Amino acid sequence: MSNTPLTPGIVSGRLVAEAYAHNFDDLEPVLDGHEAHVAADRCYFCHDAPCMTACPTSIDIPLFIRQIATGTPEAAAKTIWDQNILGGMCARVCPTEQLCEEVCVREVAEGKPVEIGRLQRFATDRVMAAGVHPFTRAAPTGKRVAVVGAGPAGLAAAHRLALHGHDVVMMDRREKPGGLNEYGIASYKAPHDFAQAEVEWLLKIGGITVQTGVELGRDVTLDGLRAEYDAVFLGIGLGGVNALRAAGEDIAGVRDAVDFIAELRQQPDKAKLAIGRDVVVIGGGMTAVDAAVQSRLLGAQNVTIVYRRGQEKMSASVHEQDHAQQVGVRIICNAAPVEVIGKGGKVSAVEFAYTQDGPEGLKLLDDTFTLAADQVFKAIGQTLVAPEGMAGPKLDVQPLARVWAGGDCAQGGEDLTVTAVAEGRDAAEAIHINLMGAVR
Amino acid sequence: MADLTTNFIGIKSPNPFWLASAPPTDKEYNVRRAFEAGWGGVVWKTLGSEGPPVVNVNGPRYGAVWGADRRLLGLNNIELITDRPLEVNLREIKSVKRDYKDRALIISLMVPCDEESWKDILKRIEDTEADGVELNFGCPHGMAERGMGSAVGQVPEYIEMVTRWVKQHSRMPCIVKLTPNISDIRKPAEAAKRGGADAVSLINTINSITSVNLDSFAPEPMIDGKGTHGGYCGPAVKPIALNMVAEIARSMETRGLPISGIGGVTTWRDAAEFMALGAGNVQVCTAAMTYGFKIVQEMISGLSQYMDEKGMVSTAELVGRAVPNVTDWQFLNLNAVSKAKIDQDACISCGRCYAACEDTSHQAISMSEDRVFEVMDDECVACNLCVNVCPVEGCITMEELPKGAVDARTGKKVGDYANWTTHPNNPSVAAAE
Ligand SMILES: Cc1cc2nc3c(=O)[nH]c(=O)nc-3n(C[C@H](O)[C@H](O)[C@H](O)COP(=O)(O)OP(=O)(O)OC[C@H]3O[C@@H](n4cnc5c(N)ncnc54)[C@H](O)[C@@H]3O)c2cc1C
Ligand SMILES: Cc1cc2nc3c(=O)[nH]c(=O)nc-3n(C[C@H](O)[C@H](O)[C@H](O)COP(=O)(O)O)c2cc1C
Ligand code: SF4
């Protein structure tokens, strides 16, 4: 190892091998049987439980926890998957501190919620490890549905459609299915190739054909799909990114955070990934936090998130922000970039102006400061790349006859994995009713 | 998924989980919601004779015992039979049964101990189309003072007589519900059988005082400064109920008499245990009163998973499976020798096993300076106390010595099966010689 965290510029191999292995392993390992039992015992089995209402997929949380407590994690997993077929991934990536666990009566009363996410993982991991897929397809209906996008929304829709007996062709422009589960989520939340393992497990339902490397708008058209299939589901996520609109945005060393994360997720040997010494991340959401944290984990010496509004407005949860700060990320709020400064064709610093958030919107103040930077990540939001004939910012849930949309690309809900699953599932139910009449 | 359908004395239900006669089954509103939640059957809250209904107290009627984290372990009550008019109950029963033909609906009855009263009530319930009757000979408070409930249940001759009347005046299947407030549960069960009962159900609640208020010096629940004994139920009574079920299941006189198991059933596992000991189905009260009707979903999923794992396709395969293995102490194998074994990797060095064994058992666990705890085989009598007090499941296990191995404590080889009936220390063996 010739490089260290102090080596200037964008270089790889800043850390020793063990450090990479440690940094990119499970942040929160799965509970063992005894821990799960103790954790499950804390649940009060609330009536009309607030946790269940807070879950975008409405998992029957008290029931699955009781099933764990009574020694049947297999039944618990089934309860979870009945509502959320990506319950395994959601157990890992859901911001539970903003969803189910935030409203758990024990969080409200004692500041210590029932560990719903970890219990969910305990149950689903166990059954997946046993290779069990506890769902069987209904008799074939002869109907064919195209699902565009194999992210959480597409996967949830495809599974539910296949379950009802429809034949599904799921296409994605990427090389691998999984969407942001595969290309976006922070590595330490779902290590050991969990995203692919989960997709493989999900496909065990049968009746789903996966076509990768197929892009809507390039290889197929919406009109073509509508002609060929009985229904179409669009779960194409947000394919574009917002521009910084600051001078110097194109200088080498400035990069989209989502691209960086996708590359990072696809590189099995993290020592091969080059990272700056002084990294500046611009943005305030989950993407900004993940880019910053993973920069630190790759050995960057100084990592700073700069967000243009107040900290309370950051869309990354407090839990995520805390985690970032624990790994040594500095968060600066109320500052916006005015210029990316280059030296020798490479970025060397970013100049920021402090901001004031008022009734008339955000105002740049004259007060400025400069941060040294050899790498800059833009994480200021993704945008919809709408299929031909449609327009954003988000698609309608049913934009055309026999066409449905769900997940990040569609209206409603927050841009979260679990919301995408809920919307994909619900669209599948709507399609099913549409194809079969009111029968269930 | 395993088929949970049960046929109990000819009464079919989609699963063996019935709600016991109690507040959860006191009215149409509850019972409909219970059926919607998935319960296989209900025993309607006990009906009394025509006439002005009973009255209940207007103060607290429940007392409780809690475990850690305020988990409800035992509940006691001084409630009486239904306090709603007979007419209303009958109308509601009929209406529910009409809409839920696949569920079991049993009517619980308690009327004065004379033939006319029973004849009359049986006639009244005839056209409800209920699936059967359960005779409540169990209520330990309030009704007993009026010569009903456990006042009948404690006298086997009365049980036999009333059961006979019921079988004479009705064609409905008849379940006799037994009180545990009696020294030998087999006697009332035998009486029920002689009277022609199709089944017995047990247990009803146990006479109890759950706590005493140390400021006002009266039992809880307290009403205007006084309290009375109530009926105890919930998880705490399960071991007592299991034993009573087993006694009836294995007794020569009552063997084969169908049993509906009641008392502390809270999870699928409790239900499976009752069934293994001979209960054809189970009835639940306190667990539903604690957590609501939804728990039945866990019971259904848990029992069917268990049956799948065991390769059982119907509940009949589970019922009674453990009965042959319930025996009397004198027939236990005195030559089966075990030793406790501590899994050092699992041990968290709390020392509870040491304290228990050193202070109250056989001084068979050693403790080193660096808190390593080890069993001394030459002292261990395999009493199991260390296993029971260890907070880590599976950390301490009982390992049975193979035949021929030497027991370090006695220096003797492990021999063949031999029990107390032939043991040299048994005076009756010596006397026989
Ligand atoms: C860096 C990052 C971290 C995140 N972390 C979390 C987290 O911790 N927890 C959480 O809940 N959420 C997180 N999210 C949000 C979450 O990943 C998304 O909300 C979720 O993946 C949306 O699912 P989707 O199926 O709608 O879209 P996507 O996951 O984006 O999937 C869309 C799929 O469609 C394909 N596609 C797009 N256009 C076309 C086309 N024209 N033709 C064919 N295929 C196409 C794409 O290749 C992709 O596979 C994160 C997002 C990012 C960017
Ligand atoms: C409040 C209350 C009222 C009850 N009323 C009746 C009754 O009317 N008739 C009856 O047969 N048993 C009655 N029981 C007894 C229950 O049916 C049941 O036998 C007992 O509670 C044990 O079961 P459990 O441990 O599941 O609660 C009552 C129990 C309670 C808690
Ligand atoms: S809110 Fe908390 S305690 Fe209540 S059911 Fe949900 S997890 Fe259990």
Side-chain angles (χ1 to χ4, degrees), chain B residues 317-356:
Chain B
E317 288 182 65
L318 169 60
V319 176
R321 276 289 270 269
V323 175
N325 296 327
V326 185
T327 185
D328 294 335
W329 190 93
Q330 57 178 343
F331 300 122
L332 296 175
N333 183 3
L334 295 174
N335 282 344
V337 182
S338 294
K339 299 288 169 191
K341 198 168 151 230
I342 301 175
D343 176 351
Q344 297 299 339
D345 293 333
C347 176
I348 58 172
S349 298
C350 68
R352 283 173 65 170
C353 58
Y354 176 79

Side-chain angles (χ1 to χ4, degrees), chain B residues 55-214:
Chain B
V55 291
N56 271 304
V57 293
N58 295 301
R61 55 179 93 163
Y62 303 123
V65 169
W66 293 277
D69 217 3
R70 214 175 150 91
R71 182 165 295 263
L72 190 75
L73 297 181
L75 184 73
N76 112 333
N77 81 88
I78 53 169
E79 183 177 285
L80 306 185
I81 63 174
T82 186
D83 52 15
R84 301 174 339 124
L86 181 63
E87 248 340 289
V88 175
N89 277 307
L90 293 177
R91 196 181 337 117
E92 292 185 0
I93 291 170
K94 190 168 177 170
S95 140
V96 174
K97 184 62 204 179
R98 198 177 48 221
D99 291 347
Y100 293 91
K101 294 215 162 52
D102 64 325
R103 310 302 170 94
L105 206 168
I106 311 297
I107 299 179
S108 169
L109 297 173
M110 182 195 286
V111 296
C113 208
D114 60 77
E115 192 168 355
E116 272 317 299
S117 300
W118 283 96
K119 199 171 156 184
D120 183 61
I121 187 80
L122 288 165
K123 215 173 156 149
R124 298 294 311 268
I125 66 172
E126 220 160 50
D127 80 3
T128 58
E129 280 168 55
D131 300 293
V133 292
E134 184 179 84
L135 316 187
N136 179 356
F137 293 152
C139 190
H141 46 259
M143 306 310 288
E145 289 86 328
R146 307 171 201 194
M148 292 185 264
S150 61
V152 178
Q154 285 165 339
V155 185
E157 291 72 24
Y158 292 171
I159 295 181
E160 182 178 344
M161 177 176 73
V162 176
T163 309
R164 189 159 284 136
W165 291 336
V166 171
K167 287 308 285 182
Q168 229 162 53
H169 298 299
S170 153
R171 278 178 316 211
M172 283 184 163
C174 166
I175 305 168
V176 172
K177 184 166 181 178
L178 304 181
T179 174
N181 299 311
I182 186 160
S183 45
D184 185 349
I185 196 68
R186 291 172 299 186
K187 298 290 178 271
E190 287 163 19
K193 193 178 173 190
R194 281 195 305 273
D198 298 285
V200 289
S201 58
L202 68 156
I203 57 173
N204 209 311
T205 55
I206 306 176
N207 280 336
S208 60
I209 289 176
T210 47
S211 59
V212 177
N213 186 315
L214 290 179

Side-chain angles (χ1 to χ4, degrees), chain A residues 196-255:
Chain A
Q196 288 312 301
E198 190 176 44
V199 171
E200 266 164 46
W201 171 88
L202 178 143
L203 293 176
K204 285 189 185 172
I205 184 73
I208 304 174
T209 312
V210 181
Q211 298 179 346
T212 50
V214 175
E215 180 168 338
L216 176 66
R218 185 189 68 192
D219 309 304
V220 291
T221 64
L222 195 51
D223 285 344
L225 293 178
R226 290 176 77 202
E228 190 181 343
Y229 294 89
D230 297 297
V232 179
F233 174 75
L234 299 173
I236 54 175
L238 300 174
V241 286
N242 285 322
L244 210 49
R245 282 189 246 115
E249 190 175 351
D250 301 326
I251 301 177
V254 181
R255 190 176 181 189

Side-chain angles (χ1 to χ4, degrees), chain B residues 5-17:
Chain B
T5 313
T6 31
N7 183 335
F8 186 74
I9 57 170
I11 303 168
K12 290 217 179 69
S13 59
N15 61 56
F17 307 112

Side-chain angles (χ1 to χ4, degrees), chain A residues 93-95 148-154 171-174 179-180 184-185 189 214-216 235-238 258 261 286-287 290 320 382 406-409 415-418 420:
Chain A
V93 307
C94 270
V148 186
M171 45 202 95
D172 198 295
R173 65 177 178 192
R174 293 262 200 186
L180 290 171
I185 296 296
K189 287 186 186 167
V214 175
E215 180 168 338
L216 176 66
I236 54 175
L238 300 174
V258 277
I261 291 170
M286 199 118 62
T287 307
D290 285 1
E320 301 270 350
Q382 287 109 268
D408 284 1
C409 69
D415 289 350
L416 293 174
T417 310
V418 64

